[in-house]
Amino acid sequence: MTDKVNHHHLHQPTAENIWQGRTDAEDGASGKRFHHMVSLTASEQDASGITLLGFCCDQGVKRNKGRTGAFDAPDLIRRALANSAWHQQTDSGKASFYDAGNVFCHGKNLEESQQTLAKQVQIALKQEHKVIVLGGGHEIAWGSFRGLAAHLQETNSSSPKIGIVNFDAHFDLRSYAQDSAQYSGSSGTPFRQIADFCKDLGWAFNYACLGVCRASNTQALFSCADSLKVFYREDNQLASHLMEKRISELTRFIAQVDYLYLTIDLDVFSAGIAPGVSAPAARGLSYETVERLLQPIFEASNNKGKAKLLLADLAEYNPAFDIDQQTARLAARLVWDISHAMFKHS
């Protein structure tokens, strides 16, 4: 990935005081929590582990005419995660959960910030780390995917089969124009940008969107999804009595790809459990529903026994509208679940 962006200016380490919490000294090594195990120094890491990144950005949501506030989300999710119990075993005794800091979008420099995020994701994957990114708006997906794509371009001679699984009330397939300030990339365009990127490279666009709200997506967006052969299921198609069928469908989708990128827009959840999002859902999904659909993603492996899931991100947490840190805790639990699966299936 070649560019002239000042990555150092846009990428800064996480403040040490973010990772604080309870210490149960009487429990010894078995009483560890995330804040005990997170490392802020890359040199201390195992060859295989997890890198955490933040993407502090409101610009994509602003361009998409949404309510801003997601810029402050990454550190607040970290704080909510810090006190979570640590259940992972590390052979070397070193912390294998590395916090690589935040990428910042200052003002209108969205494209440069996405490019910096992509570079940081690429660096982490090259170190054989799995990656979790905390947004920020869903414009995070364009940066995250490009980092994964750049890594696979370096390591694969043929076109990689990447599967994108997006839990989202919205397709985020809006039209955009690279040379137009009026229709520039936003939180509503990342998967259209990825589709165009894949088309230019001759790669298949394997996109699954789960939890789509028909009331929140125009017919133009459904037509676009159909033309791009997106696999999607609407929120009312994810009822508990239909779950076995949905899991089977998702499992078939996963079987057709070699790598997985998981992205979760927190607005896919009901506003009752996720009030602090850019676009709250009147219906939405329960955590139990999403949890069940995550299992085939977590368990998927290739013919060499390697986990297919390399990259995950969370988007659209908006602390300005949260209630008693309810949505931050939800996001932290998702990171806990994802990281637990990444360690288990690494």
Side-chain angles (χ1 to χ4, degrees), residues 103-343:
V103 173
F104 291 93
C105 177
H106 299 292
K108 299 181 179 180
N109 65 339
L110 175 58
E111 287 72 23
E112 293 86 350
S113 299
Q114 288 170 317
Q115 201 170 350
T116 300
L117 174 61
K119 187 69 176 179
Q120 293 302 315
V121 169
Q122 181 186 4
I123 289 170
L125 290 169
K126 188 175 182 179
Q127 295 170 342
E128 299 184 30
H129 279 206
K130 306 290 175 49
V131 183
I132 300 174
V133 192
L134 310 176
H138 218 161
E139 64 273 15
I140 193 176
W142 178 220
S144 291
F145 182 87
R146 284 175 62 197
L148 175 59
H151 169 68
L152 294 176
Q153 283 175 308
E154 281 190 335
T155 57
N156 287 271
S157 56
S158 58
S159 299
K161 296 179 182 178
I162 305 171
I164 304 165
V165 182
N166 178 26
F167 288 88
D168 201 335
H170 309 91
F171 284 118
D172 290 343
L173 287 168
R174 293 186 181 279
S175 300
Y176 71 99
Q178 293 180 349
D179 57 351
S180 170
Q182 186 176 1
Y183 299 108
S184 55
S186 72
S187 63
T189 66
F191 302 104
R192 187 72 167 265
Q193 291 171 282
I194 293 170
D196 290 343
F197 176 86
C198 290
K199 182 179 179 181
D200 289 343
L201 291 179
W203 296 2
F205 178 56
N206 302 298
Y207 177 36
C209 190
L210 305 175
V212 176
C213 174
R214 185 166 286 269
S216 300
N217 293 266
T218 64
Q219 187 56 55
L221 291 169
F222 275 92
S223 297
C224 178
D226 290 335
S227 68
L228 292 171
K229 299 181 180 179
V230 176
F231 168 67
Y232 62 87
R233 290 293 178 262
E234 297 177 41
D235 49 12
N236 59 4
Q237 295 176 308
L238 298 176
S240 57
H241 69 281
L242 299 172
M243 194 52 55
E244 293 303 322
K245 185 176 182 180
R246 299 290 88 93
I247 291 173
S248 295
E249 293 170 341
L250 181 57
T251 300
R252 287 196 294 272
F253 173 86
I254 292 170
Q256 298 171 4
V257 301
D258 297 323
Y259 310 97
L260 285 171
Y261 160 40
L262 167 66
T263 180
I264 302 176
D265 188 323
L266 294 171
D267 72 19
V268 77
F269 293 97
S270 166
I273 60 173
V277 295
S278 298
R283 186 188 191 283
L285 305 181
S286 68
Y287 194 95
E288 181 182 5
T289 296
V290 173
E291 185 178 47
R292 292 186 66 187
L293 289 165
L294 286 173
Q295 296 315 303
I297 299 170
F298 292 162
E299 295 168 3
S301 59
N302 60 26
N303 54 15
K304 295 181 180 179
K306 294 278 191 178
K308 290 186 178 182
L309 180 61
L310 299 182
L311 169 66
D313 61 36
L314 303 181
E316 304 283 347
Y317 170 45
N318 190 328
F321 298 95
D322 206 2
I323 300 172
D324 194 26
Q325 301 179 330
Q326 189 172 332
T327 315
R329 297 176 196 274
L330 173 68
R333 177 55 194 261
L334 284 165
V335 175
W336 192 95
D337 284 339
I338 293 166
S339 62
H340 189 272
M342 284 178 165
F343 277 122

Side-chain angles (χ1 to χ4, degrees), residues 23-60:
T23 296
D24 299 312
E26 67 276 16
D27 292 331
S30 298
K32 298 295 185 183
R33 299 173 186 271
F34 263 74
H35 70 89
H36 294 116
M37 302 306 294
V38 169
S39 171
L40 301 179
T41 306
S43 60
E44 297 177 1
Q45 297 309 300
D46 294 333
S48 60
I50 293 174
T51 289
L52 182 72
L53 285 161
F55 185 62
C56 301
C57 183
D58 260 337
Q59 185 61 26

